[in-house]
Amino acid sequence: MKRKAAGLGFWGVLYLSIPCIAVLAVPLYNRATPVLFGIPFFYWWQILWVPLSGFFLYLAWRRVERRG
Amino acid sequence: MHITATIVFVALFVLIAVLGFLSARWQRGDLGHLHEWGLGGRRFGNWITWFLIGGDLYTAYTFVAVPALVFGAGALGFFALPYTVLVYPLVFSVLPRLWVIAKHHNFITAADFVAARYDSPALALVIALTGIVATMPYIALQLVGVEVVIGGLGFPSHGIVGELPLIIAFVVLAAFTYTSGLRAPASIAVVKDLLVYITVLALIIVVPWKLGGFGKIFAAVPAEHLYLPPIHSGNFGTQSFYLTLALGSALALMLYPHATTAVLSAKGPKTLRRNWIFLPAYSFVLGLIALLGYMAYAANLPDNPALAPYFHRYGPQFAMPGLLLRYFPDYFVGIGFAAVAIGALVPAAIMSIAAANLFTRNIYRAYLRPDCDARRETQMAKLVSLMVKFGALLFILLLPTHFAIQLQLLGGILILQTLPAIVSGIYTRWFDPRALLIAWAIALGWAIWAASLTGFQKSGYALHFFGWTIPGYIGLYALLLNFLFAILITLLLRAIGRHSSADLTDAAAYQE
């Protein structure tokens, strides 16, 4: 019998990877521009990914709930 | 001496002390059982779990240390943010499975799981010891945050008068943890969060407004402070360190005993998963708190004559308390300082309970008194939680603060080395327990050696690899080494047919 891998499935794993990759791409966001409300890119990019990670967690949660 | 601030501070403190004692009656259970005292009966629902995990992970030390780090080290200090973004996807995939297995077998600690999964009390013992050793300085660090705000209220920093408030705070903490167990920090966490949110929101609105907006704040900070230095001539410099530190800290977090305790106290995997969708709300606050470091920089706080003595005494750690003193009325300073102090008690209580659970289950019952009954086991855990806290208190009173900080740094590196045994065990029984034990010892030895190169001041090690220089977090490098040896030795043992595949856990527990 095949065991359910982590119970997350391919899409679950993908959803959870996106925020991780976004904040691990340090050389790509280590820059000043574009500036938003006076906040340099380096800072608002990382802060932005906090609520976005919540959104992707929600998507992964929906997958898990549906799989039962 | 700030009289109004002190009165507000003390009043709030008394309120939560009363709450701590009353919480023994809440969701009443038989506190003579370890899963009742030490895990709140595994009955915490959505709301309480949210507050409990939040109160557990975002500690008083966070409020003081993160702005301090950004104030002092600039961009590097912001690693706390990617770290908290990484935490939830990681725990979301791993920990609900641990909950199911733990519930099935009434495991209280991660070491309980390791003991049964590998039928190896020896491996469980090193997991438990690593957990206790890593947790002790963490508890001591919580006190550093309290010390800073008590100093900020105007108490003298030395002598018995200066140390008395800290001692009183800790005796109160020890007493209500003893009587109420995990229910006490769970109920206090709600009040703590309310205070924290009020304080942070006020700071983040009022201070930029007084300083002329975020544009002006960031303009006041020199560019080499604001960004990580560029990669040049094959040296990744701080950038690879930033990345590995964030990832390593996130992995370490889910292995800390206090994280396991908070997770196992939830009602079920559904509660946990639903929680982790909303827990990033705390990380958002953390991001705002980190920016306070630059606000303190832009406001030039250390040059303010009223604040200069504090900065002289506490250094960058006074960035957040300094902003409160500089821009807010006295009563609000009391609220903000109380938020920090109460924010220390919640995780300190959970940590001491977690360490007590580990000692009782995996050392006392496993080696000293295998025949002890539930009541005796719980009594032991309560006593150990007291000892752990007084140990931490003595640590702070008798030794210089930087010892606690360095030990906490080392603790994170050590706890990360329990990952192969715990996390792999959730997914597979392929690894041999002896292989895991030897790999753990090798990784631990290397990590301590690597940390000793900087005199235990820094947690980075520069890896030289085909002409590249990749500075990274020692904990993560040691983890790679750990996995490498665990795999090699398991392969070797399997090749000569001497591997152990004994497993006392029930295969059905892994099918969620």
Side-chain angles (χ1 to χ4, degrees):
Chain A
M1 197 180 87
K2 194 178 163 292
R3 221 171 65 194
K4 274 186 282 181
L8 289 170
F10 171 77
W11 288 101
V13 172
L14 183 74
Y15 290 143
L16 294 180
S17 316
I18 292 170
C20 296
I21 294 166
V23 295
L24 286 174
V26 181
L28 300 182
Y29 63 73
N30 184 32
R31 50 186 292 170
T33 53
V35 175
L36 184 75
F37 306 121
I39 303 175
F41 186 68
F42 181 79
Y43 296 92
W44 69 255
W45 172 260
Q46 295 182 76
I47 294 178
L48 174 73
W49 274 97
V50 172
L52 283 181
S53 74
F55 174 68
F56 283 102
L57 283 163
Y58 165 73
L59 292 180
W61 170 77
R62 247 185 19 178
R63 298 289 310 176
V64 176
E65 291 285 291
R66 278 211 211 119
R67 290 166 73 99
Chain B
M1 190 86 187
H2 302 268
I3 300 296
T4 317
T6 308
I7 293 170
V8 173
F9 182 88
V10 171
L12 286 167
F13 204 87
V14 170
L15 174 79
I16 64 107
V18 172
L19 197 63
F21 285 110
L22 287 182
S23 45
R25 300 152 181 260
W26 167 50
Q27 292 191 345
R28 199 179 258 282
D30 179 2
L31 286 171
H33 284 275
L34 194 54
H35 67 97
E36 283 292 344
W37 180 82
L39 287 183
R42 292 187 222 260
R43 276 201 300 276
F44 291 143
N46 289 326
W47 282 97
I48 296 304
T49 301
W50 191 77
F51 283 113
L52 188 68
I53 298 184
D56 196 16
L57 306 187
Y58 302 86
T59 65
Y61 185 63
T62 321
F63 302 134
V64 174
V66 171
L69 210 58
V70 170
F71 177 84
L76 183 61
F78 217 66
F79 92 91
L81 219 67
Y83 149 59
T84 49
V85 169
L86 291 167
V87 160
Y88 299 112
L90 288 173
V91 296
F92 189 97
S93 9
V94 177
L95 295 183
R97 292 170 67 91
L98 183 65
W99 191 96
V100 174
I101 303 162
K103 169 78 178 174
H104 192 88
H105 292 280
N106 193 23
F107 294 151
I108 305 279
T109 68
D112 276 350
F113 164 64
V114 168
R117 179 63 153 163
Y118 296 97
D119 188 16
S120 171
L123 187 59
L125 178 69
V126 302
I127 301 289
L129 283 176
T130 315
I132 294 170
V133 168
T135 304
M136 289 289 289
Y138 215 154
I139 302 174
L141 262 198
Q142 298 309 318
L143 293 179
V144 174
V146 183
E147 241 184 350
V148 174
V149 295
I150 289 174
L153 284 173
F155 283 90
S157 67
H158 296 289
I160 190 71
V161 184
E163 280 159 359
L164 203 59
L166 190 66
I167 296 172
I168 294 172
F170 235 51
V171 169
V172 171
L173 164 73
F176 68 61
T177 315
Y178 184 88
T179 55
S180 309
L182 196 62
R183 285 173 172 83
S187 59
I188 293 171
V190 181
V191 180
K192 171 225 151 193
D193 277 0
L194 207 65
L195 296 176
V196 166
Y197 276 101
I198 293 170
T199 310
V200 172
L201 279 178
L203 276 165
I204 211 75
I205 293 165
V206 171
V207 180
W209 176 59
K210 297 240 178 175
L211 290 172
F214 278 106
K216 281 215 169 124
I217 293 169
F218 280 102
V221 183
E224 68 268 21
H225 212 59
L226 275 182
Y227 309 102
L228 301 167
I231 298 165
H232 75 102
S233 57
N235 189 337
F236 285 85
T238 325
Q239 296 205 21
S240 56
F241 181 60
Y242 188 84
L243 191 159
T244 51
L245 186 60
L247 182 60
S249 311
L251 289 168
L253 184 80
M254 70 176 168
L255 299 164
Y256 267 111
H258 59 278
T260 317
T261 301
V263 164
L264 294 187
S265 70
K267 205 187 276 169
K270 286 193 177 198
T271 306
L272 288 171
R273 289 208 186 92
R274 207 170 298 140
N275 247 281
W276 287 323
I277 301 172
F278 298 103
L279 271 164
Y282 280 102
S283 310
F284 192 72
V285 173
L286 184 71
L288 301 179
I289 291 174
L291 292 180
L292 294 178
Y294 286 141
M295 294 179 202
Y297 200 100
N300 217 350
L301 290 186
D303 288 341
N304 184 305
L307 297 175
Y310 295 117
F311 275 91
H312 183 69
R313 195 187 304 152
Y314 300 111
Q317 289 184 335
F318 210 72
M320 184 267 192
L323 283 172
L324 276 172
L325 282 173
R326 170 78 179 76
Y327 293 106
F328 288 87
D330 230 23
Y331 78 91
F332 198 83
V333 171
I335 295 179
F337 283 10
V340 174
I342 298 167
L345 299 191
V346 173
I350 305 172
M351 286 168 193
S352 69
I353 290 171
N357 288 347
L358 277 173
F359 177 83
T360 310
R361 266 296 171 98
N362 310 108
I363 296 172
Y364 181 72
R365 210 179 78 168
Y367 286 95
L368 304 174
R369 289 292 290 271
D371 56 336
C372 77
D373 61 5
R375 200 153 295 275
R376 209 188 148 79
E377 182 184 61
T378 311
Q379 196 51 41
M380 191 67 205
K382 289 166 109 175
L383 276 175
V384 173
S385 90
L386 282 185
M387 275 159 26
V388 164
K389 273 187 293 258
F390 283 104
L393 183 64
L394 287 178
F395 201 103
I396 284 297
L397 292 181
L398 302 179
L399 297 171
T401 309
H402 67 90
F403 274 146
I405 296 173
Q406 286 168 17
L407 279 174
Q408 142 71 2
L409 213 68
L410 200 60
I413 294 170
L414 300 188
I415 198 77
L416 203 46
Q417 307 320 316
T418 62
L419 188 140
I422 299 172
V423 177
S424 318
I426 296 173
Y427 294 95
T428 170
R429 182 55 188 81
W430 182 79
F431 287 100
D432 182 273
R434 281 158 297 174
L436 288 168
L437 197 63
I438 298 168
W440 168 86
I442 293 172
L444 211 68
W446 180 82
I448 292 173
W449 170 79
S452 73
L453 293 179
T454 63
F456 299 100
Q457 301 292 327
K458 295 200 168 75
S459 54
Y461 176 82
L463 191 69
H464 298 279
F465 197 69
F466 293 119
W468 297 91
T469 304
I470 314 168
Y473 178 46
I474 292 169
L476 202 68
Y477 284 161
L479 180 63
L480 294 177
L481 197 70
N482 197 335
F483 262 119
L484 182 74
F485 276 97
I487 292 169
L488 286 179
I489 299 169
T490 302
L491 282 174
L492 184 76
L493 288 170
R494 282 179 176 261
I496 58 172
R498 297 283 298 271
H499 68 281
S500 132
S501 46
D503 184 353
L504 304 180
T505 58
D506 184 355
Y510 298 85
Q511 314 273 332
E512 202 187 311

